[in-house]
Amino acid sequence: MVRIWFNHWFSTSYQIINLLKKENKDFVVIGSNRQYYSVIQNACDEWYEEPELNGEEYLEFCIGFCKKNKINAFVPKHNMVDISKNIDRFHEIGVKVMVDKYELISILSNKDKTYDLFKNSKNIQVPDFKVVRSLVEFEEAYRELNKKYERVCVKFVQDEGGQSFRIIENTISKFAALSLYPSSKISYLSFVDALSDEVEFKDMIVMPYLPGNEISVDCLKTANGLIAIPRMKGPSRDEQIQFHDDIIGMCNEILEKVPLEYPCNIQFKILDNIPYLLEINTRMSGGIQMSCLATEVNIPDIAINKLLGVNKKWSANKSTKRVSYIEMAQLIELD
């Protein structure tokens, strides 16, 4: 039996774990989360609550958890950069960790370092951007970009899940907003007001808002070649799987420059028919199950087996498909 641990993941890892267990009956999946009643527990064989820890304290928790629960393979999401930096501590206790080299993920977890890495690339387009640390710097960057682009957006350089992402929108009617769902739009004056309380803040990136569709590419390097499955994401839940040669070519070029060995997700956004590199996530995406369904390629299964030293062959169905998802009710056991 192989004991595999998923630490604090987002809820769609429920699908990732089910894909993994579908092909591997001898895998025991252990899950943990800060939210004890997360639906992920329904896909796991064992389930634990995580403490609210970060940094060295969280690393000590992880190492202790691996020892106590006899973990063979660890698939981290929370605290990935620190875990990667300290991967030798896991290897010393015989735990294989699905995380790439610290030198790579420390760059890719930082948006401005990622853009700097590719800004002189001939084939990879990155957005125009400014990094700011104070209100004065933000106002200057905003004025400069607002002259060239219809709308401007902001986000902290180090962010998870787009929590800090805001579109600066000066046409917002305060009254009309009362009848709309809460959104990522904010007026320039409201944003300036929010920043004015801080003399200096952590690095924030200011860039043009890219209004076109997002292309999210689920990738994994294997002995049989690169798996790269592009999903075109629009305003609705349905997504189109379509293998555009230019997108696949850019993914190949990106992964030559940053040779990630484990699953990653490369995101592009379209502006004036040009795909711009948005970000590179060094983990499986929240929609990877849709890529797997449409192409009949089980990325979680292939990735875990790669981690364990097993090369699983694959062949992708590359026909254009449209795929979607529905909400399904799940009962969660109470103790």
Side-chain angles (χ1 to χ4, degrees):
M1 302 296 281
V2 179
R3 294 175 62 79
I4 302 168
W5 176 32
F6 284 72
N7 72 343
H8 187 83
W9 272 77
F10 41 66
S11 61
T12 53
S13 62
Y14 174 94
Q15 305 286 0
I16 293 171
I17 293 167
N18 279 335
L19 281 166
L20 178 62
K21 293 175 71 176
K22 178 181 177 182
E23 303 291 338
N24 303 277
K25 304 304 180 187
D26 61 339
F27 285 0
V28 176
V29 177
I30 296 93
S32 63
N33 203 284
R34 290 179 176 180
Q35 300 176 33
Y36 182 75
Y37 292 108
S38 169
V39 72
I40 305 168
Q41 67 176 271
N42 286 359
C44 296
D45 299 296
E46 297 178 22
W47 182 251
Y48 301 91
E49 185 172 10
E50 281 195 19
E52 294 274 350
L53 298 173
N54 286 296
E56 177 60 28
E57 287 184 317
Y58 189 72
L59 283 169
E60 291 288 348
F61 162 77
C62 289
I63 292 165
F65 187 96
C66 288
K67 289 178 179 177
K68 181 179 179 180
N69 294 284
K70 297 181 173 57
I71 301 300
N72 305 113
F74 179 22
V75 186
K77 176 183 172 290
H78 179 58
N79 229 40
M80 283 184 71
V81 177
D82 282 346
I83 289 167
S84 177
K85 189 175 183 179
N86 292 272
I87 198 165
D88 288 346
R89 295 165 69 178
F90 292 90
H91 291 168
E92 286 170 4
I93 60 172
V95 177
K96 296 179 183 294
V97 187
M98 189 182 286
V99 67
D100 275 285
K101 292 180 180 178
Y102 172 72
E103 293 76 14
L104 297 177
I105 69 169
S106 61
I107 292 172
L108 299 179
S109 65
N110 189 301
K111 235 181 178 62
D112 67 321
K113 288 182 180 179
T114 302
Y115 289 168
D116 277 337
L117 192 64
F118 291 99
K119 69 181 180 182
N120 295 319
S121 172
K122 184 178 179 180
N123 300 313
I124 311 297
Q125 300 293 327
V126 298
D128 196 355
F129 73 96
K130 309 287 180 185
V131 175
V132 302
R133 300 171 184 85
S134 69
L135 175 58
V136 172
E137 290 179 354
F138 166 74
E139 290 175 318
E140 184 180 337
Y142 177 82
R143 281 194 298 270
E144 184 177 333
L145 291 170
N146 196 41
K147 289 176 184 176
K148 296 190 282 184
Y149 302 99
E150 186 176 347
R151 283 188 288 179
V152 173
C153 64
V154 294
K155 181 181 179 181
F156 285 117
V157 164
Q158 291 185 301
D159 182 40
E160 188 169 345
Q163 292 179 348
S164 65
F165 174 73
R166 298 292 184 273
I167 303 167
I168 309 297
E169 180 66 83
N170 287 318
T171 58
I172 298 175
S173 160
K174 292 180 180 178
F175 181 78
L178 295 176
S179 60
L180 299 174
Y181 287 113
S183 74
S184 56
K185 294 179 181 179
I186 188 171
S187 73
Y188 174 80
L189 291 177
S190 295
F191 197 78
V192 167
D193 184 55
L195 296 184
S196 63
D197 291 336
E198 304 293 327
V199 175
E200 193 172 90
F201 41 81
K202 60 184 181 179
D203 289 1
M204 180 180 288
I205 194 163
V206 186
M207 56 185 273
Y209 172 62
L210 308 176
N213 287 337
E214 178 184 318
I215 300 175
S216 178
V217 191
D218 293 306
C219 300
L220 174 62
K221 283 173 63 178
T222 77
N224 306 315
L226 175 66
I227 299 171
I229 306 170
R231 285 182 284 117
M232 178 78 77
K233 301 169 69 174
S236 61
R237 286 191 176 192
D238 60 294
E239 302 180 8
Q240 184 164 296
I241 310 294
Q242 194 165 11
F243 288 82
H244 293 286
D245 289 341
D246 58 338
I247 296 295
I248 302 298
M250 285 190 285
C251 290
N252 270 295
E253 185 171 333
I254 288 167
L255 292 175
E256 284 175 8
K257 196 171 187 69
V258 283
L260 301 171
E261 290 296 327
Y262 296 115
C264 64
N265 175 255
I266 304 174
Q267 296 179 7
F268 301 92
K269 225 21 178 19
I270 308 298
L271 179 64
D272 298 329
N273 296 316
I274 298 172
Y276 287 83
L277 175 64
L278 194 61
E279 61 185 3
I280 304 167
N281 293 308
T282 55
R283 54 162 172 75
M284 289 180 272
S285 73
I288 196 171
Q289 67 275 5
M290 293 194 282
S291 294
C292 295
L293 176 65
T295 59
E296 301 166 40
V297 177
N298 191 330
I299 295 176
D301 168 51
I302 296 167
I304 285 286
N305 277 282
K306 177 180 179 178
L307 179 67
L308 297 173
V310 178
N311 173 35
K312 297 200 82 171
K313 293 185 178 180
W314 58 274
S315 177
N317 180 338
K318 293 189 176 182
S319 61
T320 298
K321 297 275 183 65
R322 192 165 287 277
V323 63
S324 189
Y325 64 95
I326 57 172
E327 302 285 356
M328 294 187 68
Q330 289 267 328
L331 287 173
I332 299 173
E333 297 253 347
L334 299 174
D335 291 339

